[in-house]
Amino acid sequence: MKTIDFNVETIINDQNLLRELFNCDSIFISDENSWFEEPQSGHLYLIGVDLGKVEDYTVLTIMDRMTNRLVGFWRVNGVDWNYIKQKIHDYAEKYNFALCTVDATGGASSAFTEDLMSMGVSVGEYVYTNKSKIALIDKLGNLMQGTK
């Protein structure tokens, strides 16, 4: 298996590196905290949500489930939870009513997830463990190599 070392901040802030990494010429970064491609009609999307704690960023990533490509990224900190919920709702709607998966590690996301459901967002929770992280990294490696 090929090992890739990278610095997330470098990738987020370098649109040429993003274009090369995701094999896409349509990524343009005007704000280092967000970038998006326009959703495609008929495509299925998945939004991953990592809720930031006090100092951490809350991060949303949007994947095209038909091409296995990252098509959106948004991060924010120091803002009201209601604002974040509304943004998740808006992005889910914009991306063809995307399914959202919220990181539920630590158990603090249940009320947040319930609020999203009451707003009409299709949402599930995912708990990270050492075993699940290894499986996810293996899956990502296979997708990057073009295998399933």
mmCIF file of all heavy atoms in Angstrom, residues 74-102:
data_model
loop_
_atom_site.group_PDB
_atom_site.id
_atom_site.type_symbol
_atom_site.label_atom_id
_atom_site.label_comp_id
_atom_site.label_asym_id
_atom_site.label_seq_id
_atom_site.Cartn_x
_atom_site.Cartn_y
_atom_site.Cartn_z
ATOM 1 N N TRP A 74 -16.272 23.225 4.012
ATOM 2 C CA TRP A 74 -16.632 24.426 4.779
ATOM 3 C C TRP A 74 -16.196 24.222 6.211
ATOM 4 O O TRP A 74 -16.410 23.150 6.783
ATOM 5 C CB TRP A 74 -18.138 24.646 4.705
ATOM 6 C CG TRP A 74 -18.649 25.861 5.420
ATOM 7 C CD1 TRP A 74 -18.504 27.158 5.024
ATOM 8 C CD2 TRP A 74 -19.401 25.894 6.632
ATOM 9 N NE1 TRP A 74 -19.131 28.000 5.918
ATOM 10 C CE2 TRP A 74 -19.686 27.239 6.927
ATOM 11 C CE3 TRP A 74 -19.865 24.916 7.506
ATOM 12 C CZ2 TRP A 74 -20.403 27.639 8.030
ATOM 13 C CZ3 TRP A 74 -20.581 25.301 8.625
ATOM 14 C CH2 TRP A 74 -20.848 26.659 8.878
ATOM 15 N N ARG A 75 -15.542 25.210 6.782
ATOM 16 C CA ARG A 75 -15.169 25.127 8.190
ATOM 17 C C ARG A 75 -15.398 26.472 8.855
ATOM 18 O O ARG A 75 -15.254 27.530 8.234
ATOM 19 C CB ARG A 75 -13.724 24.671 8.379
ATOM 20 C CG ARG A 75 -12.696 25.699 7.979
ATOM 21 C CD ARG A 75 -11.295 25.197 8.232
ATOM 22 N NE ARG A 75 -10.356 26.263 7.896
ATOM 23 C CZ ARG A 75 -9.094 26.256 8.177
ATOM 24 N NH1 ARG A 75 -8.577 25.225 8.815
ATOM 25 N NH2 ARG A 75 -8.316 27.250 7.845
ATOM 26 N N VAL A 76 -15.756 26.393 10.145
ATOM 27 C CA VAL A 76 -16.075 27.608 10.886
ATOM 28 C C VAL A 76 -15.868 27.325 12.371
ATOM 29 O O VAL A 76 -15.972 26.183 12.817
ATOM 30 C CB VAL A 76 -17.528 28.048 10.591
ATOM 31 C CG1 VAL A 76 -18.533 27.054 11.129
ATOM 32 C CG2 VAL A 76 -17.815 29.442 11.097
ATOM 33 N N ASN A 77 -15.545 28.354 13.111
ATOM 34 C CA ASN A 77 -15.535 28.219 14.572
ATOM 35 C C ASN A 77 -15.993 29.522 15.192
ATOM 36 O O ASN A 77 -16.018 30.572 14.554
ATOM 37 C CB ASN A 77 -14.173 27.770 15.110
ATOM 38 C CG ASN A 77 -13.084 28.811 14.951
ATOM 39 O OD1 ASN A 77 -13.249 29.819 14.276
ATOM 40 N ND2 ASN A 77 -11.946 28.566 15.554
ATOM 41 N N GLY A 78 -16.439 29.410 16.440
ATOM 42 C CA GLY A 78 -16.858 30.598 17.169
ATOM 43 C C GLY A 78 -18.196 31.162 16.743
ATOM 44 O O GLY A 78 -18.468 32.343 16.955
ATOM 45 N N VAL A 79 -19.050 30.336 16.125
ATOM 46 C CA VAL A 79 -20.371 30.816 15.726
ATOM 47 C C VAL A 79 -21.455 29.994 16.423
ATOM 48 O O VAL A 79 -21.207 28.899 16.927
ATOM 49 C CB VAL A 79 -20.577 30.782 14.193
ATOM 50 C CG1 VAL A 79 -19.578 31.670 13.493
ATOM 51 C CG2 VAL A 79 -20.514 29.374 13.665
ATOM 52 N N ASP A 80 -22.655 30.499 16.407
ATOM 53 C CA ASP A 80 -23.796 29.893 17.057
ATOM 54 C C ASP A 80 -24.154 28.555 16.412
ATOM 55 O O ASP A 80 -24.118 28.413 15.184
ATOM 56 C CB ASP A 80 -24.979 30.873 16.945
ATOM 57 C CG ASP A 80 -26.219 30.352 17.597
ATOM 58 O OD1 ASP A 80 -26.243 30.288 18.844
ATOM 59 O OD2 ASP A 80 -27.160 30.013 16.854
ATOM 60 N N TRP A 81 -24.542 27.566 17.244
ATOM 61 C CA TRP A 81 -24.923 26.242 16.739
ATOM 62 C C TRP A 81 -26.099 26.318 15.784
ATOM 63 O O TRP A 81 -26.182 25.542 14.824
ATOM 64 C CB TRP A 81 -25.240 25.294 17.898
ATOM 65 C CG TRP A 81 -24.031 24.881 18.676
ATOM 66 C CD1 TRP A 81 -23.773 25.169 19.985
ATOM 67 C CD2 TRP A 81 -22.920 24.120 18.210
ATOM 68 N NE1 TRP A 81 -22.558 24.630 20.358
ATOM 69 C CE2 TRP A 81 -22.016 23.977 19.279
ATOM 70 C CE3 TRP A 81 -22.589 23.541 16.993
ATOM 71 C CZ2 TRP A 81 -20.812 23.283 19.173
ATOM 72 C CZ3 TRP A 81 -21.388 22.848 16.879
ATOM 73 C CH2 TRP A 81 -20.520 22.730 17.953
ATOM 74 N N ASN A 82 -27.021 27.235 16.011
ATOM 75 C CA ASN A 82 -28.177 27.369 15.113
ATOM 76 C C ASN A 82 -27.738 27.783 13.712
ATOM 77 O O ASN A 82 -28.316 27.344 12.718
ATOM 78 C CB ASN A 82 -29.199 28.343 15.681
ATOM 79 C CG ASN A 82 -29.899 27.773 16.900
ATOM 80 O OD1 ASN A 82 -30.161 26.573 16.971
ATOM 81 N ND2 ASN A 82 -30.170 28.613 17.879
ATOM 82 N N TYR A 83 -26.721 28.637 13.632
ATOM 83 C CA TYR A 83 -26.175 29.041 12.337
ATOM 84 C C TYR A 83 -25.595 27.827 11.614
ATOM 85 O O TYR A 83 -25.830 27.632 10.417
ATOM 86 C CB TYR A 83 -25.106 30.120 12.536
ATOM 87 C CG TYR A 83 -24.389 30.521 11.278
ATOM 88 C CD1 TYR A 83 -24.990 31.350 10.345
ATOM 89 C CD2 TYR A 83 -23.093 30.064 11.025
ATOM 90 C CE1 TYR A 83 -24.331 31.719 9.189
ATOM 91 C CE2 TYR A 83 -22.427 30.421 9.875
ATOM 92 C CZ TYR A 83 -23.046 31.251 8.954
ATOM 93 O OH TYR A 83 -22.391 31.608 7.807
ATOM 94 N N ILE A 84 -24.867 26.986 12.349
ATOM 95 C CA ILE A 84 -24.263 25.791 11.758
ATOM 96 C C ILE A 84 -25.350 24.832 11.273
ATOM 97 O O ILE A 84 -25.267 24.290 10.167
ATOM 98 C CB ILE A 84 -23.311 25.114 12.761
ATOM 99 C CG1 ILE A 84 -22.102 26.029 13.023
ATOM 100 C CG2 ILE A 84 -22.875 23.733 12.279
ATOM 101 C CD1 ILE A 84 -21.220 25.599 14.159
ATOM 102 N N LYS A 85 -26.376 24.637 12.076
ATOM 103 C CA LYS A 85 -27.485 23.760 11.674
ATOM 104 C C LYS A 85 -28.144 24.274 10.394
ATOM 105 O O LYS A 85 -28.459 23.489 9.486
ATOM 106 C CB LYS A 85 -28.527 23.657 12.789
ATOM 107 C CG LYS A 85 -28.064 22.889 13.993
ATOM 108 C CD LYS A 85 -29.129 22.943 15.076
ATOM 109 C CE LYS A 85 -28.486 22.854 16.431
ATOM 110 N NZ LYS A 85 -29.427 23.107 17.519
ATOM 111 N N GLN A 86 -28.350 25.580 10.309
ATOM 112 C CA GLN A 86 -28.971 26.146 9.109
ATOM 113 C C GLN A 86 -28.083 25.951 7.888
ATOM 114 O O GLN A 86 -28.566 25.635 6.800
ATOM 115 C CB GLN A 86 -29.290 27.628 9.318
ATOM 116 C CG GLN A 86 -30.101 28.233 8.189
ATOM 117 C CD GLN A 86 -31.457 27.566 8.025
ATOM 118 O OE1 GLN A 86 -32.214 27.424 8.973
ATOM 119 N NE2 GLN A 86 -31.782 27.139 6.811
ATOM 120 N N LYS A 87 -26.762 26.122 8.053
ATOM 121 C CA LYS A 87 -25.832 25.911 6.933
ATOM 122 C C LYS A 87 -25.878 24.461 6.470
ATOM 123 O O LYS A 87 -25.904 24.191 5.261
ATOM 124 C CB LYS A 87 -24.406 26.290 7.328
ATOM 125 C CG LYS A 87 -24.166 27.776 7.489
ATOM 126 C CD LYS A 87 -24.372 28.522 6.193
ATOM 127 C CE LYS A 87 -23.075 28.779 5.498
ATOM 128 N NZ LYS A 87 -23.209 29.696 4.351
ATOM 129 N N ILE A 88 -25.892 23.516 7.416
ATOM 130 C CA ILE A 88 -25.971 22.106 7.048
ATOM 131 C C ILE A 88 -27.264 21.846 6.276
ATOM 132 O O ILE A 88 -27.253 21.194 5.225
ATOM 133 C CB ILE A 88 -25.877 21.209 8.298
ATOM 134 C CG1 ILE A 88 -24.476 21.320 8.918
ATOM 135 C CG2 ILE A 88 -26.216 19.762 7.952
ATOM 136 C CD1 ILE A 88 -24.362 20.691 10.293
ATOM 137 N N HIS A 89 -28.371 22.375 6.775
ATOM 138 C CA HIS A 89 -29.656 22.230 6.086
ATOM 139 C C HIS A 89 -29.570 22.787 4.669
ATOM 140 O O HIS A 89 -29.989 22.139 3.701
ATOM 141 C CB HIS A 89 -30.747 22.955 6.880
ATOM 142 C CG HIS A 89 -32.040 23.038 6.149
ATOM 143 N ND1 HIS A 89 -32.333 24.086 5.283
ATOM 144 C CD2 HIS A 89 -33.116 22.213 6.139
ATOM 145 C CE1 HIS A 89 -33.520 23.891 4.776
ATOM 146 N NE2 HIS A 89 -34.031 22.774 5.279
ATOM 147 N N ASP A 90 -29.013 23.989 4.539
ATOM 148 C CA ASP A 90 -28.939 24.641 3.223
ATOM 149 C C ASP A 90 -28.056 23.865 2.253
ATOM 150 O O ASP A 90 -28.401 23.700 1.082
ATOM 151 C CB ASP A 90 -28.431 26.075 3.372
ATOM 152 C CG ASP A 90 -29.411 26.967 4.131
ATOM 153 O OD1 ASP A 90 -30.573 26.551 4.359
ATOM 154 O OD2 ASP A 90 -28.987 28.073 4.536
ATOM 155 N N TYR A 91 -26.893 23.379 2.735
ATOM 156 C CA TYR A 91 -26.010 22.603 1.852
ATOM 157 C C TYR A 91 -26.647 21.264 1.496
ATOM 158 O O TYR A 91 -26.535 20.810 0.352
ATOM 159 C CB TYR A 91 -24.636 22.387 2.482
ATOM 160 C CG TYR A 91 -23.777 23.628 2.472
ATOM 161 C CD1 TYR A 91 -23.157 24.076 3.630
ATOM 162 C CD2 TYR A 91 -23.584 24.365 1.309
ATOM 163 C CE1 TYR A 91 -22.373 25.220 3.625
ATOM 164 C CE2 TYR A 91 -22.804 25.507 1.292
ATOM 165 C CZ TYR A 91 -22.200 25.926 2.457
ATOM 166 O OH TYR A 91 -21.419 27.056 2.443
ATOM 167 N N ALA A 92 -27.314 20.614 2.443
ATOM 168 C CA ALA A 92 -27.979 19.351 2.141
ATOM 169 C C ALA A 92 -29.038 19.556 1.057
ATOM 170 O O ALA A 92 -29.139 18.769 0.109
ATOM 171 C CB ALA A 92 -28.605 18.764 3.405
ATOM 172 N N GLU A 93 -29.808 20.613 1.172
ATOM 173 C CA GLU A 93 -30.828 20.911 0.168
ATOM 174 C C GLU A 93 -30.201 21.232 -1.179
ATOM 175 O O GLU A 93 -30.626 20.728 -2.215
ATOM 176 C CB GLU A 93 -31.682 22.085 0.655
ATOM 177 C CG GLU A 93 -32.911 22.329 -0.178
ATOM 178 C CD GLU A 93 -33.798 23.384 0.442
ATOM 179 O OE1 GLU A 93 -34.515 23.052 1.404
ATOM 180 O OE2 GLU A 93 -33.748 24.539 -0.027
ATOM 181 N N LYS A 94 -29.164 22.063 -1.169
ATOM 182 C CA LYS A 94 -28.494 22.461 -2.420
ATOM 183 C C LYS A 94 -27.899 21.258 -3.145
ATOM 184 O O LYS A 94 -27.945 21.184 -4.370
ATOM 185 C CB LYS A 94 -27.393 23.487 -2.127
ATOM 186 C CG LYS A 94 -26.642 23.927 -3.366
ATOM 187 C CD LYS A 94 -25.621 24.994 -3.056
ATOM 188 C CE LYS A 94 -24.904 25.404 -4.336
ATOM 189 N NZ LYS A 94 -23.972 26.507 -4.112
ATOM 190 N N TYR A 95 -27.329 20.321 -2.377
ATOM 191 C CA TYR A 95 -26.700 19.149 -2.976
ATOM 192 C C TYR A 95 -27.688 17.979 -3.054
ATOM 193 O O TYR A 95 -27.436 16.888 -2.553
ATOM 194 C CB TYR A 95 -25.416 18.787 -2.228
ATOM 195 C CG TYR A 95 -24.290 19.730 -2.598
ATOM 196 C CD1 TYR A 95 -24.134 20.941 -1.944
ATOM 197 C CD2 TYR A 95 -23.422 19.441 -3.643
ATOM 198 C CE1 TYR A 95 -23.127 21.832 -2.306
ATOM 199 C CE2 TYR A 95 -22.419 20.316 -4.020
ATOM 200 C CZ TYR A 95 -22.281 21.510 -3.343
ATOM 201 O OH TYR A 95 -21.295 22.395 -3.711
ATOM 202 N N ASN A 96 -28.823 18.251 -3.671
ATOM 203 C CA ASN A 96 -29.828 17.241 -4.010
ATOM 204 C C ASN A 96 -30.318 16.469 -2.785
ATOM 205 O O ASN A 96 -30.480 15.261 -2.820
ATOM 206 C CB ASN A 96 -29.282 16.269 -5.069
ATOM 207 C CG ASN A 96 -28.809 16.982 -6.316
ATOM 208 O OD1 ASN A 96 -29.197 18.120 -6.582
ATOM 209 N ND2 ASN A 96 -27.948 16.348 -7.080
ATOM 210 N N PHE A 97 -30.535 17.205 -1.710
ATOM 211 C CA PHE A 97 -31.019 16.632 -0.455
ATOM 212 C C PHE A 97 -30.079 15.532 0.038
ATOM 213 O O PHE A 97 -30.481 14.412 0.323
ATOM 214 C CB PHE A 97 -32.473 16.155 -0.591
ATOM 215 C CG PHE A 97 -33.392 17.289 -0.932
ATOM 216 C CD1 PHE A 97 -33.727 17.562 -2.249
ATOM 217 C CD2 PHE A 97 -33.884 18.114 0.069
ATOM 218 C CE1 PHE A 97 -34.551 18.643 -2.569
ATOM 219 C CE2 PHE A 97 -34.702 19.188 -0.245
ATOM 220 C CZ PHE A 97 -35.036 19.448 -1.559
ATOM 221 N N ALA A 98 -28.807 15.922 0.139
ATOM 222 C CA ALA A 98 -27.731 14.999 0.520
ATOM 223 C C ALA A 98 -27.976 14.379 1.888
ATOM 224 O O ALA A 98 -28.513 15.018 2.790
ATOM 225 C CB ALA A 98 -26.401 15.747 0.538
ATOM 226 N N LEU A 99 -27.538 13.153 2.020
ATOM 227 C CA LEU A 99 -27.504 12.479 3.305
ATOM 228 C C LEU A 99 -26.353 13.073 4.111
ATOM 229 O O LEU A 99 -25.270 13.296 3.575
ATOM 230 C CB LEU A 99 -27.270 10.976 3.099
ATOM 231 C CG LEU A 99 -26.985 10.141 4.331
ATOM 232 C CD1 LEU A 99 -28.206 10.094 5.243
ATOM 233 C CD2 LEU A 99 -26.563 8.734 3.924
ATOM 234 N N CYS A 100 -26.578 13.349 5.377
ATOM 235 C CA CYS A 100 -25.536 13.883 6.255
ATOM 236 C C CYS A 100 -25.147 12.827 7.284
ATOM 237 O O CYS A 100 -26.007 12.140 7.818
ATOM 238 C CB CYS A 100 -26.030 15.118 7.004
ATOM 239 S SG CYS A 100 -26.365 16.506 5.946
ATOM 240 N N THR A 101 -23.863 12.729 7.541
ATOM 241 C CA THR A 101 -23.361 11.847 8.585
ATOM 242 C C THR A 101 -22.589 12.708 9.570
ATOM 243 O O THR A 101 -21.644 13.398 9.196
ATOM 244 C CB THR A 101 -22.455 10.752 8.010
ATOM 245 O OG1 THR A 101 -23.205 9.994 7.063
ATOM 246 C CG2 THR A 101 -21.958 9.827 9.101
ATOM 247 N N VAL A 102 -23.007 12.666 10.837
ATOM 248 C CA VAL A 102 -22.406 13.487 11.886
ATOM 249 C C VAL A 102 -21.503 12.619 12.747
ATOM 250 O O VAL A 102 -21.898 11.524 13.160
ATOM 251 C CB VAL A 102 -23.505 14.137 12.768
ATOM 252 C CG1 VAL A 102 -22.899 14.928 13.908
ATOM 253 C CG2 VAL A 102 -24.405 15.023 11.919
#
